[in-house]
Amino acid sequence: MQKQQQLDQLVRSVAESGEKLNGAERRHFLKNGLALLGGAGLVSAASGVAAQAMPPGIPSWTKSLGSAVNTNPYGMPSPHEAGLQRRTVEWLTADKIASVSFTPLADLKGIITPSGVVFERYHAGLPDVDPNQHRLMIHGMVDRPLIFSMEDLMRFPSVSMIRFLECPANGGMEWRAAQMDRLQFSHGMLSCCEWTGVLLSTLLQECGVQKGAKWILAEGSDGSHMSRSIPMEKAMDDALIVYAQNGEALRPEQGYPVRLINPGWEGNTCVKWLRRLEIGDQPWYHREETSKYTDLLPSGKAREFTFVQEANSVLTNPCPEKPLTKPGKLWVEGLAWSGRGRIKHVDVSFDGGVSWREARFTSVVEPRALTRFGVEWDWNGNPALLQSRAVDETGYVQPTYSQLRDARGSSSIYHKNAIHTWKLNSDGSVVNAQLA
Amino acid sequence: MPNLHNYLITFALGASILASPMVLAAQEGRFGYGSPASAEQIAGWDIDVRPDGQGLPPGEGSVEDGEELYEEKCALCHGSFGESVSGYPALAGGGGSLTDPRPKKTVGSYWRYTSTLWDYIHRAMPFTQPESLSDDEVYAITAYVLHLNDIVDYEFVLTRDNLTEVRLPNEDNFIPDQRPDTRNKRCMKRCKDPADVKVASEAAAYVPEGGPDALYSEVEAQEDGIVTTVTGNGVYERHCALCHADGIGGAPAIGDTSAWSARIEQGLDVLYRHAIEGYSGEDGIMPPKGGFVNLSDSEVGLAVDYIVEQSQ
């Protein structure tokens, strides 16, 4: 009896430490750990442990005390969720300083992106900005050029809004052919947060914009001094000078201590670590609005100041990271968004666009925010081609690849919002595909 | 929002600090937060330059001086001729390529204004030491990059006064946003002929965490009823373009007929073999299957066909 108890204890501790690992690592650990114990009889004892935690058994955490309050003064996700990570694509950029990382969309629920996994895009690395010394200067065609400390900015009436943030190059690797092997890389330069700050229009009123002012240059305080020209109409509409994200101070990766958010517009215009706004009567034509972020057409002409992110959608379950395990009923879901306003409808197809079914919204439907949709489906185990198609409140319908290529060719890099196809194989695996 | 104007006035009067800036602000419907920016403070940060020359500081620099500075501070990443090193952006070349399937966008082929170049070098380069160049150095290096693009000759000296006169070849090729430029319809039933539903390209398969065990295997044997076409273009984009698009590490660039003619003369069989088994000639190392050992021989063959077709 005594010996059996010792053995049980040993098996349990092996199994528990194994739980901290994931996937293949865990299986490997269990196998080796159990081999260490030796004895064929123990294998059944080990499966006994798993059975013990589930009904009618009682797991170890139910029969013991947990750790004290404030063990983690700033709480972190469960160690079992360690797979939720931003990831990079090595070959995309020459180094990791002027580079990008992607949001793990497949593992997220609802519409809010947790601050720790919002995609990153840096042009001179992540600066370490001291909020006490950081200043925002507004000058140019204003009556009163002003300098604001963070404390000054937070005295103004604050505004909070849930809005998506998307790099216009999101999906840009797919213009010529299906390329990225998973959702994180095909659509992951996309996030959605609650942003809190002061309306840019409030600050502009404070400075007194002069007659004839039409453009604003926004500039960052990082080494790249990222600069973009923003039309005055956007500034007076909903542009927000943001100091908080999802209820707490901005994360350094998102521009701490203060950034610009132009809701629905390309992420690059939402200058981070914002230090300066200059008011002028014409755009500046800086590098990020001529060499980059212009859309080259087959004619050799390029569109400039293509700010808005048009309606787009993608299925997040299933997707390559979320294959199906067996035929039967499942909840197919995804995300839709439009830089022009609210999402009005999302339709889902299982036959490559021959027929469509309207999906249901399962989140709030905010303008210029991610919107979660879903539809029940009974998978019969046959291969299928899954698609989603968003329609926004302006009546704009997300285009097909061929419509997009007919209009813009395949060298424009930015603003690819075509209907996306997941090819579901009969083994349940899901592959990024494009239809002819 | 409460009536801020009244609120501030009442507050300010109540506190009877009549002459303060706060009161003035309140009377004008403002909050009065923040502090005035002095001319000196603005000058320290106001670095931007516009196409009309606004923002350019006094100064000048010659192509000749720029050559030396460029070699020392820029060539490491951008190449002595602006041709790009290890994937950093090319600064020269690509003239006339904007309508090609693989356009090459550089200062000479794509940029719109000379002021943009001055502004960008000044604000962001050299990459590891932004804002370290003097104004004269920025003029000189800008002049040299223009020279690398055959826009100014070797004797040229760039100054605040002549910068706006240096026009780039692509200046007139930018147009405003024309979107929405697609007109899809919200069709729900029989939107196309099922026979037309064909997969044109597929990305590599992704095996999720947990391994292939996580997939359902009992139906695995079922007929795959969908026509899948692997195209040479698709394989090329995913597996070969990273070296062959721009000629990284000595790879002959796709479409560069002179780099390919002698190779193509060897015959397709030799090219297939070199691409499948790997090959090292005078220019660099072509890893077996480009390093993607999971590719089938026929997939590599299709990509070779595609490259050859594009490079003749």
Side-chain angles (χ1 to χ4, degrees):
Chain A
M1 197 64 208
Q2 176 78 358
K3 191 161 171 246
Q4 185 59 47
Q5 270 174 4
Q6 277 175 357
L7 224 53
D8 279 356
Q9 180 65 38
L10 198 58
V11 170
R12 196 175 304 131
S13 68
V14 168
E16 277 168 9
S17 14
E19 272 167 16
K20 299 209 176 74
L21 306 169
N22 48 25
E25 242 181 326
R26 172 157 178 231
R27 254 178 280 126
H28 183 74
F29 177 89
L30 278 177
K31 217 167 98 200
N32 286 357
L34 294 174
L36 269 177
L37 293 173
L42 287 175
V43 176
S44 57
S47 43
V49 170
Q52 240 173 25
M54 289 190 255
I58 298 167
S60 59
W61 59 87
T62 308
K63 296 203 286 185
S64 56
L65 295 180
S67 46
V69 292
N70 226 22
T71 303
N72 304 307
Y74 192 104
M76 297 298 283
S78 157
H80 300 283
E81 301 299 326
L84 185 75
Q85 283 180 3
R86 290 188 281 237
R87 291 185 179 82
T88 57
V89 175
E90 294 288 328
W91 53 264
L92 266 186
T93 51
D95 59 40
K96 286 194 170 169
I97 302 294
S99 191
V100 58
S101 72
F102 297 78
T103 294
L105 294 174
D107 286 306
L108 298 182
K109 310 294 178 199
I111 59 168
I112 299 288
T113 310
S115 301
V117 291
V118 171
F119 74 98
E120 304 156 281
R121 180 79 179 93
Y122 309 145
H123 292 265
L126 174 59
D128 176 14
V129 180
D130 174 357
N132 297 316
Q133 294 192 59
H134 185 79
R135 293 292 181 271
L136 173 62
M137 178 192 282
I138 304 184
H139 69 108
M141 295 175 69
V142 292
D143 295 334
R144 290 168 295 277
L146 290 174
I147 293 178
F148 299 100
S149 65
M150 290 311 299
E151 203 185 319
D152 292 333
L153 291 175
M154 288 184 203
R155 288 174 78 184
F156 287 99
S158 80
V159 173
S160 295
M161 37 175 117
I162 296 172
R163 297 293 181 263
F164 75 79
L165 179 69
E166 184 183 24
C167 174
N170 198 20
M173 297 81 89
E174 310 276 308
W175 272 105
R176 295 188 166 93
Q179 177 162 227
M180 308 314 287
D181 66 353
R182 61 196 104 157
L183 172 61
Q184 182 158 18
F185 300 143
S186 67
H187 289 79
M189 292 191 225
L190 172 70
S191 294
C192 183
C193 296
E194 184 199 59
W195 307 103
T196 300
V198 44
L199 283 170
L200 177 50
S201 57
T202 305
L203 296 185
L204 292 179
Q205 259 153 30
E206 199 63 21
C207 297
V209 174
Q210 292 171 352
K211 242 182 111 194
K214 291 203 184 72
W215 289 83
I216 301 178
L217 185 78
E219 180 182 86
S221 71
D222 62 315
S224 77
H225 303 81
M226 167 61 59
S227 56
R228 287 293 305 254
S229 307
I230 314 293
M232 188 59 78
E233 301 83 70
K234 185 66 175 175
M236 298 314 283
D237 178 12
D238 60 352
L240 195 64
I241 301 296
V242 169
Y243 45 73
Q245 163 187 12
N246 295 337
E248 60 179 350
L250 271 177
R251 288 293 171 87
E253 295 93 322
Q254 267 66 64
Y256 180 83
V258 62
R259 77 175 303 170
L260 175 60
I261 289 280
N262 289 310
W265 281 19
E266 35 182 46
N268 180 263
T269 66
C270 303
V271 175
K272 301 193 275 190
W273 314 292
L274 185 71
R275 74 164 191 178
R276 194 164 71 92
L277 295 165
E278 180 170 344
I279 321 302
D281 59 355
Q282 46 181 278
W284 277 259
Y285 293 98
H286 278 178
R287 186 246 185 178
E288 304 288 333
E289 51 206 19
T290 51
S291 165
K292 307 290 165 199
Y293 305 103
T294 45
D295 308 29
L296 180 62
L297 304 174
S299 62
K301 301 262 181 206
R303 292 179 187 161
E304 60 186 16
F305 302 118
T306 45
F307 293 121
V308 77
Q309 295 291 104
E310 296 189 289
N312 203 345
S313 69
V314 69
L315 293 170
T316 60
N317 184 50
C319 70
E321 295 99 313
K322 298 285 167 200
L324 298 186
T325 51
K326 56 177 186 298
K329 282 188 178 165
L330 69 135
W331 186 245
V332 169
E333 65 170 18
L335 293 166
W337 62 102
S338 166
R340 291 204 182 91
R342 286 187 175 76
I343 291 294
K344 186 87 181 177
H345 308 281
V346 180
D347 306 313
V348 176
S349 173
F350 299 97
D351 55 14
V354 177
S355 60
W356 297 83
R357 277 170 56 191
E358 176 147 20
R360 191 145 62 76
F361 295 135
T362 59
S363 70
V364 289
V365 182
E366 289 278 306
R368 297 166 175 164
L370 290 188
T371 303
R372 178 71 69 175
F373 62 86
V375 65
E376 194 179 67
W377 186 47
D378 197 351
W379 181 43
N380 61 10
N382 286 330
L385 294 168
L386 278 60
Q387 301 182 319
S388 63
R389 178 183 68 193
V391 182
D392 71 16
E393 62 183 344
T394 69
Y396 173 90
V397 182
Q398 188 183 350
T400 63
Y401 266 105
S402 44
Q403 288 168 337
L404 210 52
R405 290 195 188 107
D406 285 349
R408 304 183 209 158
S410 53
S411 293
S412 60
I413 301 177
Y414 306 105
H415 304 295
K416 190 235 70 187
N417 65 329
I419 292 172
H420 189 75
T421 306
W422 294 130
K423 176 170 171 276
L424 171 63
N425 296 315
S426 48
D427 66 359
S429 63
V430 178
V431 177
N432 174 12
Q434 286 184 20
L435 301 186
Chain B
M1 220 186 283
N3 188 331
L4 181 87
H5 183 89
N6 288 345
Y7 169 78
L8 278 178
I9 289 185
T10 324
F11 164 80
L13 290 175
S16 61
I17 33 168
L18 283 168
S20 79
M22 281 287 269
V23 174
L24 191 63
Q27 281 163 0
E28 291 174 4
R30 289 183 287 115
F31 295 87
Y33 308 157
S35 39
S38 69
E40 193 193 352
Q41 285 174 313
I42 294 172
W45 280 10
D46 184 6
I47 56 171
D48 53 86
V49 175
R50 283 196 330 199
D52 63 0
Q54 191 194 82
L56 276 175
E60 59 169 50
S62 65
V63 172
E64 193 178 350
D65 290 345
E67 179 171 23
E68 200 174 309
L69 288 161
Y70 180 92
E71 263 311 314
E72 181 196 330
K73 295 171 186 283
C74 322
L76 169 71
C77 297
H78 295 294
S80 287
F81 305 99
E83 78 280 16
S84 142
V85 176
S86 344
Y88 288 103
L91 302 186
S97 74
L98 296 185
T99 51
D100 293 354
R102 293 240 154 226
K104 198 172 165 208
K105 298 191 271 182
T106 71
V107 172
S109 70
Y110 193 62
W111 287 37
R112 193 165 180 190
Y113 296 112
T114 308
S115 61
T116 310
L117 183 59
W118 198 101
D119 176 272
Y120 186 69
I121 295 173
H122 179 241
R123 74 173 52 239
M125 290 291 138
F127 190 47
T128 50
Q129 289 163 291
E131 275 203 275
S132 64
L133 300 172
S134 72
D135 292 344
D136 283 346
E137 286 176 327
V138 178
Y139 278 105
I141 296 173
T142 302
Y144 187 66
V145 174
L146 292 169
H147 178 70
L148 286 177
N149 283 287
D150 298 324
I151 291 163
V152 299
D153 59 30
Y154 195 75
E155 277 65 49
F156 187 74
V157 178
L158 187 68
T159 68
R160 170 156 80 169
D161 297 330
N162 69 13
L163 188 139
T164 55
E165 287 155 29
V166 181
R167 308 307 269 271
L168 303 184
N170 201 44
E171 175 175 337
D172 294 333
N173 283 326
F174 289 84
I175 55 175
D177 195 358
Q178 298 155 315
R179 297 172 303 155
D181 56 355
T182 55
R183 274 175 234 312
N184 200 4
K185 292 233 168 55
R186 189 172 173 236
C187 165
M188 301 302 283
K189 292 255 162 331
R190 288 181 294 278
C191 302
K192 54 181 161 184
D193 183 346
D196 293 340
V197 178
K198 293 209 171 64
V199 174
S201 65
E202 254 184 74
Y206 172 68
V207 181
E209 216 154 295
D213 303 4
L215 302 179
Y216 188 61
S217 55
E218 279 157 60
V219 286
E220 209 169 292
Q222 279 190 18
E223 268 287 313
D224 188 325
I226 290 160
V227 193
T228 306
T229 5
V230 178
T231 64
N233 185 355
V235 176
Y236 167 79
E237 288 296 340
R238 284 196 299 282
H239 305 290
C240 322
L242 63 136
C243 295
H244 285 282
D246 298 314
I248 301 280
I254 192 167
D256 180 345
T257 46
S258 58
W260 278 99
S261 61
R263 296 178 191 274
I264 292 171
E265 272 169 28
Q266 303 175 93
L268 272 177
D269 286 347
V270 177
L271 292 181
Y272 291 149
R273 186 157 46 80
H274 285 172
I276 291 165
E277 291 169 5
Y279 168 73
S280 180
E282 280 169 15
D283 298 318
I285 295 169
M286 161 70 207
K289 300 185 175 177
F292 299 90
V293 287
N294 293 333
L295 284 176
S296 69
D297 291 358
S298 60
E299 282 172 312
V300 177
L302 283 172
V304 172
D305 292 346
Y306 176 75
I307 296 174
V308 168
E309 182 192 302
Q310 298 291 313
S311 311
Q312 267 162 344

